Amino acid sequence: VIYPPHSKLTDKEKTNICYLSFPDSNSGCIGDTQFCFRFRRSPGRKVSLCCFLDQLDKDLPVYLKKDSAYYYGYVYFRQVRDKSLKRGYFQKSLVLISKLPYVHLFRTMLKQIAPEYFEKSEAFLEAVCSDIDHWPPPVPGKVLQLPLMGLIMKLRIPTYRDKPGTTPIVQNMHQADAQISLALPTVHEVDLFRCFCPVFFHIQMLWELVLLGEPLVVMAPSPAESSETVLALVSCISPLKYCSDFRPYFTIHDSEFKEYTTRTQAPPSVILGVTNPFFAKTLQHWPHIIRIGDIKLPGEVPKQVKVKKLKNLKTLDSKPGVYTSYKPYLNKDEEIVKQLQKGVQQKRPTEAQSVILRRYFLELTESFIIPLERYVASLMPLQKCISPWKSPPQLRQFSQDDFMKTLEKAGPQLTSGLKGDWIGLYRHFLKSPNFDGWFRSRQKEMTQKLEALHLEALCNENLVFWSQEHTEVETVDLVLKLKNKLLQADREHLPVKTDTLKKLQTHINDIILALPDDLQDILLKTGT
């Protein structure tokens, strides 16, 4: 069943969704299980709602921007004994498909509606969708109130202006009416400490592997554990965006199965979450494998575990741990391990442990990225090089050697006490998809900034005076160029003040009015 019925999915997408919506038979998930998956959209589909979501997208932090090539599936699966059914079990999944990576929001939502849906069937979904139709647009930075079957969910989607590592609290207000309200502390975060607990002693090495876009497999007993762990890994380099593909739950039926498990070429830069024992054989040539048992909240932290050799990973019942021959570039930070171990002994709540861990990852990532930010900012031409009568100047080329030279005086040692081979880590990172993605988005931002400065320079000129000094042909050419500039500013959401755009429009109108009538008619008709 698909609801709303007019939703269009290709056959390939439907097949992927069906296989990904159920745990593998060996997982033995009895009761209710929640997990999430991510799958490729079929090419050549019409993009609906695109421009509207794009407007909102530009205010999001980079790691929450939607990736138009993928969908997320959020699953609530129920398996209970039922003698009245032929198979002896009731097995059903309710799946929510979205382009948005708001894991916690959709998880909470399914928890509210799935159990009732299993009892009441389709008419209930219709009522749910009618509530969702009344939701406000997902505007970042605003406190949103989302009605859902007598409940009001209150939440705030982060914006790129938020200081990294801070979460503005959404207060639970007392409703005067009968509706119960539920304040969500986050829309997208997973329980970081719970996810990393089974591989507790290797968090820093895993941070390096994710940062460098290395191929990683998470082998877990169920899709709930595999999906949470993959999402935790992807989020550990935040505020950097993880730019390669990641699959919180991946099965042998997936349309990319052949592409990702082939032995004819090196494993691709992806993070896969798997539960099928078959993968222990098909992926044993992968360089880094994380094997986790059931995620239980620790009464104690796992004993000090050495990194295991890959040749010891024969089957899926191998011991939990990290199997790799990777040698980390940075020395181990004993401080964070002690801090979290102490938290376990003192029975510190897991939310508080996650906050400590998230801050640790954030400081590590920022120490790593600040020198790059500083160097890339120096590639921007000076403002005095921007002339209204020439095209905007180009950014200078990124030079690895020049960047490496800056590290001596302005490297990560300014903000991090960690010793180790930072230079080696940077060299490796500069070859990774994460650097490529990060640098491209910085390039785009800076180019847009140059375009915006160029627009402002044009606005500050006396353009009418200029047009009186030049021929009609040159003036018409200028008008057309200025109109194009306005279109570009709108299309690319350039960071320009509204006043600047209005001023430019006034300039255009004044120039046109100073031209002969026949030209005025033509130029006013061409509008935009």
Side-chain angles (χ1 to χ4, degrees):
V1 167
I2 296 185
Y3 205 91
H6 60 263
S7 313
K8 291 198 172 30
L9 290 165
T10 65
D11 289 345
K12 188 178 179 182
E13 286 168 342
K14 282 182 192 166
T15 308
N16 269 336
I17 292 168
C18 288
Y19 279 120
L20 288 163
S21 299
F22 289 99
D24 280 312
S25 51
N26 65 293
S27 293
C29 300
I30 295 292
D32 291 2
T33 307
Q34 279 190 271
F35 60 94
C36 106
F37 59 81
R38 185 171 179 262
F39 64 102
R40 239 181 238 173
R41 293 184 56 189
S42 295
R45 294 197 41 175
K46 273 210 186 78
V47 183
S48 60
L49 262 181
C50 182
C51 41
F52 172 63
L53 282 175
D54 282 352
Q55 269 299 113
L56 301 175
D57 222 39
K58 69 178 201 307
D59 289 332
L60 286 169
V62 52
Y63 52 88
L64 282 185
K65 289 184 189 295
K66 66 178 195 328
D67 183 335
S68 50
Y70 291 91
Y71 276 132
Y72 284 85
Y74 300 95
V75 183
Y76 193 105
F77 167 69
R78 173 171 286 185
Q79 173 163 282
V80 284
R81 246 179 218 292
D82 184 340
K83 292 198 176 114
S84 67
L85 296 171
K86 199 164 142 195
R87 300 178 66 169
Y89 277 96
F90 170 95
Q91 291 167 311
K92 237 179 203 181
S93 279
L94 181 63
V95 187
L96 191 148
I97 304 291
S98 173
K99 288 186 192 127
L100 305 171
Y102 302 156
V103 192
H104 188 71
L105 163 63
F106 293 128
R107 193 193 161 85
T108 308
M109 192 181 147
L110 280 170
K111 213 175 194 159
Q112 298 299 330
I113 60 175
E116 280 201 62
Y117 163 67
F118 293 140
E119 321 255 297
K120 298 181 182 168
S121 80
E122 274 162 76
F124 180 70
L125 280 191
E126 200 167 324
V128 168
C129 285
S130 142
D131 269 355
I132 295 174
D133 283 340
H134 293 102
W135 286 9
V139 177
K142 276 172 74 171
V143 172
L144 305 174
Q145 302 203 14
L146 314 182
L148 187 72
M149 306 313 288
L151 180 79
I152 299 255
M153 294 191 292
K154 293 207 171 82
L155 53 104
R156 179 185 178 278
I157 297 166
T159 81
Y160 72 89
R161 294 179 205 87
D162 295 353
K163 185 169 176 276
T166 58
T167 314
I169 299 295
V170 178
Q171 291 302 329
N172 221 337
M173 274 132 16
H174 294 292
Q175 295 296 103
D177 52 25
Q179 289 189 307
I180 311 157
S181 99
L182 174 69
L184 302 191
T186 169
V187 286
H188 66 285
E189 286 169 354
V190 291
D191 186 341
L192 214 53
F193 180 65
R194 218 186 93 222
C195 297
F196 277 119
C197 210
V199 285
F200 182 78
F201 289 96
H202 311 301
I203 49 176
Q204 197 177 318
M205 175 173 76
L206 294 174
W207 172 84
E208 282 189 25
L209 292 173
V210 175
L211 179 78
L212 300 172
E214 285 286 308
L216 260 172
V217 189
V218 174
M219 294 186 174
S222 84
E225 273 105 9
S226 85
S227 63
E228 293 259 298
T229 308
V230 169
L231 293 169
L233 285 165
V234 166
S235 74
C236 78
I237 59 167
S238 165
L240 263 184
K241 182 186 170 76
Y242 179 77
C243 295
S244 298
D245 188 8
F246 59 95
R247 302 300 177 91
Y249 175 48
F250 189 74
T251 74
I252 54 175
H253 304 287
D254 201 286
S255 48
E256 277 77 61
F257 175 74
K258 278 199 178 72
E259 176 189 335
Y260 283 170
T261 54
T262 173
R263 287 175 176 246
T264 52
Q265 59 212 56
S269 167
V270 294
I271 302 179
L272 298 181
V274 302
T275 62
N276 192 323
F278 182 67
F279 280 109
K281 204 183 268 149
T282 33
L283 298 178
Q284 64 189 23
H285 61 296
W286 276 46
H288 321 289
I289 293 171
I290 300 170
R291 173 82 189 84
I292 53 176
D294 289 315
I295 295 186
K296 294 188 188 70
L297 258 185
E300 55 188 81
V301 169
K303 303 284 176 279
Q304 172 68 46
V305 215
K306 283 204 173 85
V307 173
K308 297 172 166 41
K309 296 203 166 46
L310 279 163
K311 63 176 192 310
N312 298 343
L313 184 82
K314 288 287 178 286
T315 58
L316 205 65
D317 48 329
S318 311
K319 295 228 161 50
V322 178
Y323 292 78
T324 179
S325 52
Y326 176 80
K327 295 276 176 288
Y329 286 96
L330 304 181
N331 303 349
K332 195 161 186 172
D333 187 338
E334 300 294 347
E335 202 42 53
I336 181 71
V337 174
K338 281 188 200 139
Q339 206 182 347
L340 290 171
Q341 271 178 318
K342 193 173 161 194
V344 171
Q345 284 149 12
Q346 296 173 346
K347 306 215 170 356
R348 191 186 288 146
T350 168
E351 296 81 19
Q353 294 276 73
S354 285
V355 168
I356 293 169
L357 191 51
R358 192 166 275 114
R359 190 182 309 128
Y360 161 75
F361 281 137
L362 175 72
E363 285 169 4
L364 195 52
T365 306
E366 287 191 326
S367 292
F368 180 79
I369 211 75
I370 287 168
L372 272 163
E373 294 273 11
R374 199 181 284 126
Y375 170 71
V376 167
S378 74
L379 304 178
M380 184 88 164
L382 297 171
Q383 198 150 354
K384 64 180 184 197
C385 307
I386 297 170
S387 150
W389 307 114
K390 288 186 187 146
S391 294
Q394 298 287 307
L395 296 174
R396 290 208 312 285
Q397 288 290 315
F398 185 101
S399 150
Q400 185 171 329
D401 294 343
D402 290 352
F403 166 63
M404 291 299 180
K405 281 178 201 151
T406 67
L407 292 176
E408 213 172 306
K409 287 203 176 75
Q413 71 278 9
L414 296 182
T415 50
S416 170
L418 266 189
K419 298 279 182 279
D421 181 10
W422 285 95
I423 301 275
L425 186 63
Y426 280 114
R427 279 193 203 288
H428 194 152
F429 177 71
L430 294 180
K431 297 191 199 94
S432 76
N434 287 333
F435 168 72
D436 189 53
W438 172 82
F439 184 59
R440 271 188 219 212
S441 91
R442 277 289 169 274
Q443 245 178 339
K444 186 179 170 188
E445 274 171 35
M446 288 159 73
T447 309
Q448 289 188 336
K449 179 81 182 136
L450 284 170
E451 289 286 355
L453 289 169
H454 187 241
L455 260 180
E456 277 167 30
L458 273 167
C459 271
N460 296 333
E461 288 293 311
N462 185 340
L463 297 176
V464 178
F465 177 74
W466 181 92
S467 65
Q468 286 159 357
E469 300 285 300
H470 289 74
T471 65
E472 277 177 10
V473 172
E474 288 170 311
T475 304
V476 169
D477 189 47
L478 175 70
V479 168
L480 295 176
K481 277 191 178 137
L482 293 177
K483 284 187 171 189
N484 268 338
K485 280 269 178 205
L486 277 179
L487 274 177
Q488 180 195 11
D490 182 51
R491 187 178 59 241
E492 295 176 15
H493 311 302
L494 293 184
V496 190
K497 297 186 190 81
T498 323
D499 291 354
T500 308
L501 298 177
K502 281 184 186 154
K503 203 167 158 190
L504 197 58
Q505 188 60 62
T506 312
H507 279 325
I508 295 174
N509 296 343
D510 291 348
I511 297 170
I512 293 178
L513 291 173
L515 287 167
D517 292 353
D518 55 338
L519 273 179
Q520 276 190 41
D521 286 349
I522 294 168
L523 286 172
L524 289 168
K525 268 187 199 139
T526 54
T528 43

